[in-house]
Amino acid sequence: MEEIFRFGDEFGPAKVTHVYQPELGLKGVLVVDNVARGPAIGGLRMAPDVNTAECFRLARAMTLKNSAAGLARGGGKSVLVGDPRMPRDAKERLIRAFAHALRNERDYIFGPDMGTDESCMAWIKDEIGRAVGLPAAMGGIPLDEIGATGWGLRHAAEVAARYCSIDLRGARVAIQGFGAVGKHAARFLAAQGARVVAASDTQGTVIDAAGLEVDALIRVKDEGRSVIEHGRGEKRDGEAIVEVECDIWIPAARPDVIREDNVHRLKTRLVLEGANIPVTAAAERTLHDRGVIVIPDFIANAGGVICAAMEFAGSSQTAALASIAERISANTEAVLARVKAQGIPPRYGAERRGAPIFSYVRAARSTINERGAITRPDLVVVADDTLLPVPAAGVLQGCTPRTVMLLVSREAAEAWRSRLKFSGLLLVMGESASASAGAQAPPVGALCAGAAARLTGAIGRTSLERAVRAEVASHGTGAVESSLAEALAAFDAMAPHAGAVPEGGTIGAAGYSTPDWIDVPAFPITPQTEIIETLAGWFARGEARGRLTTLESEHSMVTGAAAAAATGVRVFTATSSQGLLYAMEMLFAVPGWRAPFVLVNVSRAVATPITLEPDHTDILVARDTGFVQIHCATCQELLDSVLIAYRLAEDMRVRVPVVVNQDGFYLSFTREPVDMPDAEAVRRFLPPFDPHGSVRSRPRRRMRSTASAIRVSRSGWCARGCCGRTPRLRCGARSPGNGRSR
């Protein structure tokens, strides 16, 4: 039993899956290491000698890589035993079978790696609908084709060169592994003026101290040949690349190519780990003792996964490349600054970049998740402005987590605020008590626990204190009191800066911010219930002006909403999944009444087999009802979209109801801070409801003739016909007999 769990530690792996189908010759492994920050993204590696141990080490590297890069993604990896040069149809059959076997592993997203490419990802996407690194023709960003990882290596080299006193113009570069990573690293570095003096692949090494012609080398590889077929240079075996004298040495192929038994042969000043785990831990320590700087894999080669994550989020290739440059440059700078200040090996400094998520998860799992308030904490955590220099704050601009928590000093806060543009931002102000007292710095998890606790509303101060003490003890430090002071200060500081707003409160916030009276006809259905409960509480306490009317069904709820809107009041309601289907008859009817109101739908799957996850079939069924639909991905979008929906629905040129749709799993089960507009800002954006066209605005008059009856029934338009079918809002004419502006 111990052998099965030999890879386990407090952080993972969450899951190890072996796939074996002897009739197909299929042997593969999936390791999902840690999903605390979201579904894992990791490449599919194909080689004859891959194994479970290698897969786990690669998955852990991906966990650290995604965390250090500020991505809302966990770490995972899959490996497939086989020769990647096998016939294309056999390779496709094997990859499709492997993907199909893992079709239900929702916590893992396939990407390309050694032995696989964009075409392989297209097969997987077709098979299970879940892959990144797709061909451009399928809407993907072909990260191997554009050289995303090599682009990141170029920027890591640019920063690291300053710390090694290397001038990139004229710097000698040796590249072990001239494949998808190595050839693009060579191309980008050559464009900076570097000389590629050696390159290797599985067939051998080519060396030329004067510099190899990079474009010619790339053409040779693209034709399926070896670098040793390059016309110039000395041809040697593959191991010869290790002892080539150079300024920058880039391992870009297999794991463990530099070990204790060959590290003494390496003659370089800087190692950029283009492959995952290419240098053993012992060899890295030896190089550090020799004064050779090693930029760890999960810092230097993160370009590929950054690109993949941004593709998955719908970003463009241009945005992905810009994000890669910014994130990797900032991370490399931060790591090397710490190395220079503290004299520690780069990997130790780099792990501080990836470790906050572990500290947060360890501290928060035992407290927050026991109450079920957060099922997947998509948090990017920066514990103090000293951990990430303010000039590097822009590295976070391209990421898409639900929440970013920054515990910073007041002096740094404004600089951070001006650089971070996305909405899920929380600044916890306050000087560091431990830093000002000169005490030992508290662990990251202890600092974050207070803000996380207040953010979720899951635990109180007493439970928080227990969690912080446990966290500090797990680090073996003596900074208990200072850590506790930090956490409690963060807990107390949350209220002035952001609210702990649940899914229901987020929607209800629109009603709370709207100064007009709001009518809420409702029929509760989970997970919409919290919305209605929150509004009912506000009405009962006098915190919002409105009335809750409970009805006997969703059919009556939608009918009541339209009828109330027709009387000239502002109306809000909400439903979910089957509730929307129960109301379907009226969904088709009420848009024709031109009665504007806003309905929030918390989308849940309605097809069998029953599942909690949203597939949006409920709202898609309502596509042709005449309701305007707005679909939201975050709580901030929900709040903003409800206000936008009122302005849209109540416009005289529209006058139809609007449905604001959110998913009924992640958004309805999680909480995040939102920026609440003040009442004055809402008044400027959303003026009081103009009831023109409602039954309340129609003149009270006796019906004297059929013509008069027709005139009244068409009261939404100019009665005299002097301006045709012009809405009354635009007509200054007066109708005969009543003296009112029509």
Side-chain angles (χ1 to χ4, degrees):
M1 183 64 73
E2 288 75 13
E3 178 68 14
I4 297 175
F5 296 102
R6 66 189 186 277
F7 306 115
D9 59 21
E10 59 185 320
F11 307 128
K15 186 179 296 185
V16 179
T17 305
H18 291 81
V19 178
Y20 180 51
Q21 295 181 17
E23 67 277 11
L24 295 177
L26 171 59
K27 291 190 289 185
V29 181
L30 166 67
V31 175
V32 177
D33 182 47
N34 189 298
V35 293
R37 302 196 57 182
I41 286 184
L44 168 60
R45 175 166 294 198
M46 188 175 188
D49 56 348
V50 291
N51 54 53
T52 303
E54 179 180 331
C55 190
F56 166 70
R57 292 174 62 203
L58 293 168
R60 175 54 55 84
M62 293 305 300
T63 298
L64 288 168
K65 187 184 301 186
N66 291 340
S67 181
L71 303 175
R73 294 287 177 263
K77 204 75 173 183
S78 56
V79 298
L80 190 57
V81 177
D83 185 350
R85 294 169 295 186
M86 67 175 63
R88 181 180 174 85
D89 59 341
K91 185 175 183 178
E92 179 178 356
R93 187 162 54 250
L94 206 61
I95 289 176
R96 282 183 177 272
F98 185 55
H100 184 76
L102 298 172
R103 63 191 180 279
N104 294 321
E105 299 293 345
R106 297 292 178 179
D107 278 333
Y108 176 68
I109 302 165
F110 283 93
D113 195 77
M114 190 181 74
T116 59
D117 58 14
E118 289 87 358
S119 298
C120 301
M121 295 305 104
W123 300 333
I124 294 172
K125 177 74 171 179
D126 179 61
E127 192 69 32
I128 65 173
R130 192 172 64 255
V132 293
L134 299 169
M138 295 181 66
I141 304 175
L143 55 94
D144 284 344
E145 182 181 313
I146 67 174
T149 305
W151 176 247
L153 287 169
R154 174 256 195 223
H155 288 279
E158 192 170 44
V159 173
R162 299 199 305 270
Y163 287 84
C164 302
S165 300
I166 295 174
D167 186 351
L168 277 185
R169 187 166 296 279
R172 298 165 300 166
V173 180
I175 300 176
Q176 185 265 338
F178 209 77
V181 174
K183 68 181 182 182
H184 289 295
R187 177 166 63 91
F188 291 127
L189 288 171
Q192 295 297 107
R195 282 184 294 139
V196 177
V197 297
S200 73
D201 57 19
T202 57
Q203 303 301 309
T205 301
V206 58
I207 305 170
D208 188 341
L212 298 165
E213 187 181 346
V214 172
D215 289 341
L217 275 175
I218 292 175
R219 282 196 301 272
V220 167
K221 292 298 293 183
D222 288 345
E223 292 167 2
R225 297 185 288 151
S226 169
V227 293
I228 60 175
E229 298 180 51
H230 180 262
R232 292 168 44 188
E234 176 187 358
K235 312 303 189 293
R236 297 180 60 184
D237 62 48
E239 275 293 308
I241 191 71
V242 175
E243 55 194 17
V244 172
E245 189 170 343
C246 60
D247 300 304
I248 303 173
W249 198 81
I250 302 177
R254 295 300 306 273
D256 300 335
V257 295
I258 299 298
R259 308 168 300 276
E260 286 182 278
D261 63 331
N262 67 355
V263 66
H264 63 278
R265 297 167 56 192
L266 204 59
K267 303 171 184 176
T268 187
R269 290 191 282 167
L270 171 63
V271 176
L272 294 175
E273 295 187 355
N276 286 325
I277 54 175
V279 184
T280 66
E284 283 188 357
R285 286 193 296 270
T286 300
L287 290 170
H288 174 69
D289 293 340
R290 284 172 42 187
V292 177
I293 289 181
V294 181
I295 306 300
D297 47 3
F298 63 88
I299 297 294
N301 70 30
V305 75
I306 294 171
C307 183
M310 295 193 70
E311 174 194 315
F312 198 72
S315 295
S316 67
Q317 178 177 314
T318 301
L321 291 175
S323 183
I324 291 168
E326 190 169 14
R327 294 181 193 219
I328 291 183
S329 295
N331 279 351
T332 306
E333 181 74 45
V335 168
L336 292 181
R338 186 174 298 121
V339 168
K340 183 177 180 181
Q342 302 177 14
I344 58 177
R347 182 167 292 274
Y348 296 168
E351 285 176 351
R352 290 280 302 278
R353 306 286 296 168
I357 186 62
F358 294 148
S359 296
Y360 168 72
V361 171
R362 183 169 56 245
R365 270 180 179 162
S366 62
T367 57
I368 297 171
N369 281 353
E370 71 183 8
R371 295 287 300 277
I374 285 187
T375 57
R376 178 169 289 161
D378 293 339
L379 302 177
V380 172
V381 180
V382 180
D384 189 69
D385 55 297
T386 59
L387 290 185
L388 183 64
V390 172
V395 73
L396 296 173
Q397 286 185 5
C399 68
T400 56
R402 292 203 175 102
T403 306
V404 174
M405 298 195 325
L406 308 172
L407 280 73
V408 300
S409 64
R410 290 185 182 277
E411 288 74 12
E414 291 307 315
W416 281 95
R417 191 192 299 277
S418 65
R419 298 176 72 87
L420 295 168
K421 305 301 182 186
F422 46 85
S423 60
L425 173 62
L426 168 64
L427 291 175
V428 181
M429 307 295 187
E431 293 290 348
S432 170
S434 59
S436 61
Q440 183 178 4
V444 173
L447 290 169
C448 299
R454 187 60 175 263
L455 172 69
T456 62
I459 63 174
R461 290 172 62 92
T462 303
S463 299
L464 171 63
E465 183 174 347
R466 287 199 301 268
V468 171
R469 290 187 184 280
E471 167 68 5
V472 177
S474 71
H475 280 71
T477 72
V480 177
E481 296 307 321
S482 60
S483 298
L484 184 59
E486 290 286 350
L488 294 177
F491 183 92
D492 295 334
M494 279 293 296
H497 295 286
V501 183
E503 152 261 330
T506 302
I507 304 302
Y512 179 72
S513 300
T514 304
D516 292 343
W517 174 277
I518 186 166
D519 201 77
V520 183
F523 184 83
I525 177 173
T526 302
Q528 158 261 39
T529 314
E530 191 175 6
I531 300 173
I532 303 305
E533 288 175 344
T534 303
L535 285 169
W538 287 348
F539 295 156
R541 294 188 299 270
E543 297 173 3
R545 300 177 64 243
R547 176 183 60 191
L548 176 67
T549 305
T550 56
L551 298 168
E552 68 273 13
S553 70
E554 286 86 355
H555 184 284
S556 300
M557 179 192 75
V558 173
T559 306
T567 67
V569 298
R570 184 164 279 157
V571 179
F572 173 88
T573 189
T575 190
S576 176
S577 56
Q578 284 82 0
L580 192 72
L581 300 187
Y582 277 117
M584 192 59 65
E585 178 188 358
M586 296 312 298
L587 293 183
F588 280 92
V590 297
W593 300 3
R594 310 308 291 268
F597 64 92
V598 173
L599 182 152
V600 167
N601 181 59
V602 187
S603 183
R604 282 276 179 88
V606 293
T608 54
I610 298 300
T611 173
L612 291 180
E613 294 189 18
D615 62 4
H616 302 289
T617 47
D618 54 350
I619 194 65
L620 293 178
V621 169
R623 184 192 66 177
D624 298 324
T625 60
F627 275 69
V628 175
Q629 292 189 12
I630 302 175
H631 293 255
C632 304
T634 68
C635 286
Q636 187 67 56
E637 286 185 15
L638 284 166
L639 170 58
D640 298 340
S641 296
V642 168
L643 295 174
I644 292 170
Y646 277 115
R647 181 160 177 171
L648 178 64
E650 294 169 1
D651 190 294
M652 285 299 297
R653 295 164 295 180
V654 180
R655 287 284 165 152
V656 294
V658 177
V659 58
V660 178
N661 195 67
Q662 69 167 96
D663 80 72
F665 188 73
Y666 294 109
L667 289 191
S668 66
F669 282 176
T670 58
R671 302 176 183 226
E672 63 177 291
V674 295
D675 294 328
M676 292 287 291
D678 58 41
E680 184 56 37
V682 173
R683 287 190 185 95
R684 289 195 301 268
F685 176 77
L686 187 61
F689 179 35
D690 180 356
H692 268 306
S694 68
V695 295
R696 180 173 294 180
S697 68
R698 295 173 183 171
R700 295 181 179 180
R701 48 193 284 181
R702 286 162 47 183
M703 308 285 280
R704 297 178 180 174
S705 66
T706 302
S708 297
I710 294 174
R711 183 180 294 118
V712 173
S713 69
R714 294 176 58 190
S715 62
W717 308 95
C718 174
R720 292 179 60 184
C722 62
C723 45
R725 290 184 58 81
T726 302
R728 284 183 304 174
L729 189 63
R730 300 179 181 177
C731 177
R734 293 182 178 271
S735 297
N738 64 10
R740 296 187 180 186
S741 175
R742 298 297 300 271

